[in-house]
Amino acid sequence: MAVTRTFSIIKPDATKRNLTGAVTAKLEEAGLRVVASKRIHMSREQAEGFYAVHKERPFFGELVEFMMSEPVVVQVLEGEDAVKRNRDVMGATNPADADEGTIRKEFALSIGENSVHGSDSEENAAIEIAFFFNDDEIVG
Ligand code: ADP
Ligand code: MG
């Protein structure tokens, strides 16, 4: 399996509770390496653009407001089969369904305020990384 990259966000519910380090530790324990990281406060334009794929979903407005509500930490993660590795350690979208040991089981508050984002495919990882990072900000 090749070393690949994925895109992660530590969401507002986690930064608000000072869990940036705790979430990052779970990612690192899962074999992922943080090769880019920055703390930002998303604009409405960024939040709506990033989640444009969900714009017809009933929770879109709530999701955009949530992502703008507090700072987030956007990251590029590298590792063997990084997209799947990250999705595995994140756990299910709804923390009630997440496996023991996953980030969402341990930290998420609800299906909306669920502590982390992770790309769902290598194709989307490349798009999402480029949405927030220039090449010279990623140091592997
Ligand atoms: P995932 O983040 O696991 O890939 P989705 O891509 O389906 O999940 O949804 C994107 C984000 O939208 C979720 O992480 C969550 O923050 C929010 N979301 C999803 N479903 C709901 C819901 N039913 N109600 C409120 N927010 C939701
Ligand atoms: Mg998703």
Side-chain angles (χ1 to χ4, degrees):
M1 196 59 72
V3 171
T4 57
R5 287 176 174 173
T6 190
F7 176 74
S8 166
I9 305 177
I10 303 176
K11 291 183 174 180
D13 67 282
T15 63
K16 188 175 186 180
R17 290 176 289 150
N18 206 22
L19 294 171
T20 297
V23 171
T24 302
K26 298 283 277 183
L27 299 171
E28 291 178 342
E29 283 161 17
L32 293 159
R33 177 176 293 269
V34 180
V35 296
S37 184
K38 59 187 172 189
R39 181 175 172 99
I40 62 170
H41 205 139
M42 274 198 204
S43 64
R44 179 173 300 280
E45 192 182 10
Q46 282 176 311
E48 288 181 349
F50 182 75
Y51 279 119
V53 62
H54 293 308
K55 68 176 183 294
E56 306 305 334
R57 309 273 288 271
F59 57 81
F60 179 70
E62 184 187 328
L63 176 59
V64 167
E65 294 299 327
F66 168 58
M67 294 304 287
M68 294 167 55
S69 66
E70 295 279 338
V72 299
V73 178
V74 291
Q75 296 177 317
V76 181
L77 308 177
E78 194 172 84
E80 296 266 327
D81 202 7
V83 169
K84 180 176 188 305
R85 196 174 280 260
N86 185 40
R87 293 295 308 195
D88 286 350
V89 72
M90 286 166 60
T93 307
N94 187 342
D97 301 328
D99 289 340
E100 287 297 334
T102 62
I103 292 168
R104 284 167 165 170
K105 176 73 177 186
E106 200 156 321
F107 301 123
L109 300 176
S110 65
I111 191 170
E113 299 194 22
N114 59 4
S115 304
V116 280
H117 166 85
S119 309
D120 60 9
S121 67
E122 286 199 24
E123 187 187 359
N124 284 335
I127 293 167
E128 293 173 0
I129 289 168
F131 194 90
F132 286 105
F133 290 98
N134 297 317
D135 283 349
D136 66 359
E137 294 177 301
I138 304 168
V139 183

